[in-house]
Amino acid sequence: MLERAKMATDDIPLDDKAKRMRDLLSSFYYPYHGSSPKAHSNYENLDSINSASFNPEQYMNLLVQKSNLEELLRKHVEMAAEIKNLDTDLQMLVYENYNKFISATDAIKWMKSNIVGMEANMEQLLDKIMSVQSRSDRVNTSLFEKREHIEKLHRTRNLLRKVQFIYDLPARLAKCIKSEAYADAVKFYIGAMPIFKAYGDSSFQDCKRASEDAIIIILKNLQGKLFSDSESIQARAEAAVLLKQLDFPVDSLQAKLLEKLEQSLGDLQLKTNEIENVLRESNDPSKQGKGFDSVPGIGHEVSVHGFAEAIRAYRVIFPDSESQLIKLAQNLVIKHFEMTEQRVKRRISSTNFLGALRAIWDDVLLMDGVLSEAALSNFSLEVAHATVKKYVASTFTYLLQDISDALLKVKVSPKEAAEEHPLQAALEASKKTVLQGSMDVLLDFRQLLDEKLGLLVKLRAFIIDWVQEGFQDFFRSLDGCFLLLSGRKNSSSQDQGFSEGALGEKVLAGLVLVLAQLSVFIEQTAIPRISEEIAASFSSGGARGHEHGHVFISGEICQLFQLGGEKLLHHYINIRTRRVSTLLRKRFTTPNWVKHKEPREVHMFVDLFLQEESVETTIVKLCLKSLQEYVRLQTFNRSGFQQIQLDIHFLRTLLKENIEAEEAIDFLLDEVIVAASERCLDPIPLEPPILDKLVQVKLSKSKEHNLVKPLDVGR
């Protein structure tokens, strides 16, 4: 075959063969010949040998002009190699085309062998199809008359059914009236109306008259249901729809029907309030706090569903009442939120509050499906804004009340008041109320942020700001509450509550000390902990934005309670000092110092003084100054002066053991002796041995009777 191809090629003229080879190579190197750049007409470039319009003579002339003999020989060798390569490529191309030709020939032979016999099969199939068609035509022809007869009988049967329905209609309507199935009665009557209009004055005159009498009764009953207060909202709406289907002029009743619908809204609110009263009066913890999540909430859902169906029906019956229906739907949402706000005032948990919001949102979505023009989703968002804000504020109010109640429970007997344990227990309880109460509040607010409810998702940024603002205002109010409980701030109502909760001046002093310690705890422990929680959950996404900063400023609150703690501590010192001053005044105003007897022991006022002085050094100094002033107001004889000398000597002995400011205390005690000597008619002091003896006797008696207690003096 190669030899034949070569012979065929040799028979082709040389110019044609060269042209074909040139075209073949051109198509190989330039497949997109149509889009190739234009060749220069003068073939000035030696690379133009690959062009489709190659001119050998010009190419040779150009090559001879630009090349020397050595370059021409090298060019000859290169072109000979290229020609050899092209011949090889052409030979491979012929081989490939030959293989494809063989494959195509084999495919044609296979197809021919498979097609043989198919024509006969197709002819057999066509004969069978024609046979089936002819038999089908014979069957249709034979059954045509019977089919026509059957269709005629079927039409007659349907007509008889209609006639029978007309004759049975009065009885059917009577049964519907008895069972109050007015919807079925209206459907039956409307279905018979075309026959009554065509044959009601002839063939079915009696049936028509009896049916109309029944319809009159149905109209009266439907009107009664429409205006009955005992019927549900949905039942009234269904009655209105049925009356309109019976062509009753319900348009004249539009104002009265809408008034009834508005009244039903009030009944719905009343039923919900009754549920809340039952839950509030119940003492069963499992029933309290269920709110809308409890079993009575099912009745609420049914009532709201009925109200929605009434809105749907009235919208169809009264197309021009859309604005009134929108107002009623908005009133429903407003009443729900008002009821929720009432529950918030009575203290509601976050779980119950979320349950209430879910119920409201379900009602809003239900009403949106019935009356989308009301746009209750956006409307409820505006109302919910105020309700959720009030809930956040009330939560802080109740937390403040809890802390105040815990502090007002600081009630100890006068005997226990001087001891540390009752006040320590009250302090620990107050710390727990402040810190744990704040953590619980943050947890409740966190539930609001985590809730996926549509209302709360849109209010999330506001809730973050409200929580921060709430804590800032809460701690400011708490500081004011501390001042009020300490007696530094006047308030008639809260002063009265405090006087009822306290047991005397000593309890007041203990409460002030607890408040001072609690202020330090809030500054050093509570505020940093709360700040961490706020930063973790309530710091980003607020409505104020980062450019305005955070609303809760912990540094400001810490400084507030630091100053408050210092004020309360000074107030506590003043209270204790006034008590000691009162004791000293009674001591020096009661006896007649001019006629005082010779001292035999330390006076018992020193014992009371020491019992009161389980306090700070500052109180001791203030009390000694008060003692000096009271001494200056009296006149002493020798015995009175010596009694003062003995009492001061005993105080000096005990105070040195417990107070570091020894020099200041010695100075103040000496000032008392000096003042007594100046006011004495015969200032002859006792000898030191006598003083020491009398003091030792007093100490011995004190140890035996356990009258002198170790001092716990704050430095």
Side-chain angles (χ1 to χ4, degrees), residues 9 137 226 230-231 239 324 384 393 448 450 464 487 593 645 659 678:
T9 305
D137 293 339
L226 187 61
S230 60
E231 295 292 339
Q324 295 171 283
L448 297 183
D450 294 339
I464 292 175
W593 291 98
Q645 182 187 8
I659 296 180
E678 292 176 352

Side-chain angles (χ1 to χ4, degrees), residues 453-577:
L453 196 65
L455 281 176
L456 296 178
V457 170
K458 296 178 181 178
L459 293 176
R460 190 179 189 279
F462 295 100
I463 294 175
I464 292 175
D465 289 345
W466 294 336
V467 171
Q468 293 193 18
E469 291 174 0
F471 268 109
Q472 191 80 6
D473 296 338
F474 162 73
F475 282 112
R476 290 172 180 169
S477 301
L478 185 61
D479 179 69
C481 179
F482 285 1
L483 295 178
L484 182 65
L485 293 174
S486 66
R488 291 177 55 87
K489 188 176 181 181
N490 295 326
S491 176
S492 58
S493 60
Q494 297 209 25
D495 283 346
Q496 182 180 1
F498 172 75
S499 62
E500 295 175 356
L503 288 176
E505 185 178 349
K506 189 165 291 185
V507 176
L508 174 60
L511 177 59
V512 174
L513 185 60
V514 170
L515 292 174
Q517 292 289 335
L518 188 58
S519 297
V520 175
F521 171 78
I522 292 175
E523 175 203 353
Q524 298 180 355
T525 304
I527 297 299
R529 176 75 181 280
I530 294 172
S531 298
E532 291 178 1
E533 294 295 329
I534 291 178
S537 303
F538 300 91
S539 60
S540 60
R544 290 167 53 91
H546 294 287
E547 63 274 7
H548 298 288
H550 297 302
V551 183
F552 179 70
I553 307 175
S554 58
E556 178 182 330
I557 300 300
C558 289
Q559 184 179 8
L560 178 66
F561 277 91
Q562 181 183 5
L563 297 176
E566 294 175 358
K567 292 179 182 178
L568 290 170
L569 183 59
H570 288 299
H571 185 47
Y572 172 72
I573 293 173
N574 293 334
I575 293 174
R576 298 302 297 268
T577 303

Side-chain angles (χ1 to χ4, degrees), residues 113-248:
S113 62
N114 284 284
I115 292 176
V116 175
M118 184 177 292
E119 185 175 357
N121 294 334
M122 294 297 295
E123 291 178 356
Q124 293 178 3
L125 179 61
L126 179 60
D127 293 339
K128 292 181 180 180
I129 292 175
M130 296 301 296
S131 176
V132 171
Q133 182 178 0
S134 62
R135 293 180 182 180
S136 175
D137 293 339
R138 288 196 298 270
V139 170
N140 289 334
T141 303
S142 62
L143 297 179
F144 177 76
E145 295 181 358
K146 294 181 179 180
R147 184 168 58 248
E148 288 290 330
H149 182 65
I150 291 173
E151 291 179 357
K152 183 177 180 180
L153 292 177
H154 181 69
R155 289 193 296 269
T156 304
R157 180 173 177 269
N158 290 338
L159 181 60
L160 291 175
R161 282 185 175 181
K162 293 180 181 179
V163 172
Q164 186 65 37
F165 174 80
I166 296 299
Y167 280 112
D168 294 341
L169 182 60
R172 287 175 180 266
L173 295 178
K175 291 181 180 179
C176 291
I177 293 173
K178 186 176 181 180
S179 61
E180 296 185 357
Y182 300 116
D184 293 337
V186 173
K187 181 178 67 174
F188 296 153
Y189 183 75
I190 293 176
M193 284 298 295
I195 298 178
F196 283 151
K197 289 181 179 180
Y199 307 102
D201 296 333
S202 57
S203 303
F204 304 107
Q205 185 175 5
D206 295 337
C207 294
K208 179 182 178 182
R209 187 181 301 110
S211 299
E212 289 176 347
D213 293 340
I215 289 300
I216 292 175
I217 298 175
I218 291 174
L219 287 173
K220 292 181 180 179
N221 293 344
L222 289 176
Q223 293 180 56
K225 290 175 68 69
L226 187 61
F227 299 107
S228 176
D229 295 334
S230 60
E231 295 292 339
S232 64
I233 307 174
Q234 189 171 2
R236 297 178 191 175
E238 291 176 355
V241 172
L242 295 177
L243 286 173
K244 190 171 183 64
Q245 291 178 359
L246 293 174
D247 295 331
F248 185 83

Side-chain angles (χ1 to χ4, degrees), residues 236-289:
R236 297 178 191 175
E238 291 176 355
V241 172
L242 295 177
L243 286 173
K244 190 171 183 64
Q245 291 178 359
L246 293 174
D247 295 331
F248 185 83
V250 293
D251 293 339
S252 60
L253 305 176
Q254 177 176 350
K256 193 171 184 179
L257 290 175
L258 293 177
E259 182 180 353
K260 282 288 184 180
L261 184 59
E262 185 175 1
Q263 181 182 353
S264 66
L265 184 61
D267 296 339
L268 176 62
Q269 174 70 13
L270 180 61
K271 291 179 181 179
T272 310
N273 288 337
E274 291 175 354
I275 294 172
E276 293 300 317
N277 293 333
V278 171
L279 293 175
R280 186 172 64 254
E281 294 173 0
S282 174
N283 294 323
D284 186 357
S286 63
K287 295 181 180 179
Q288 290 179 348

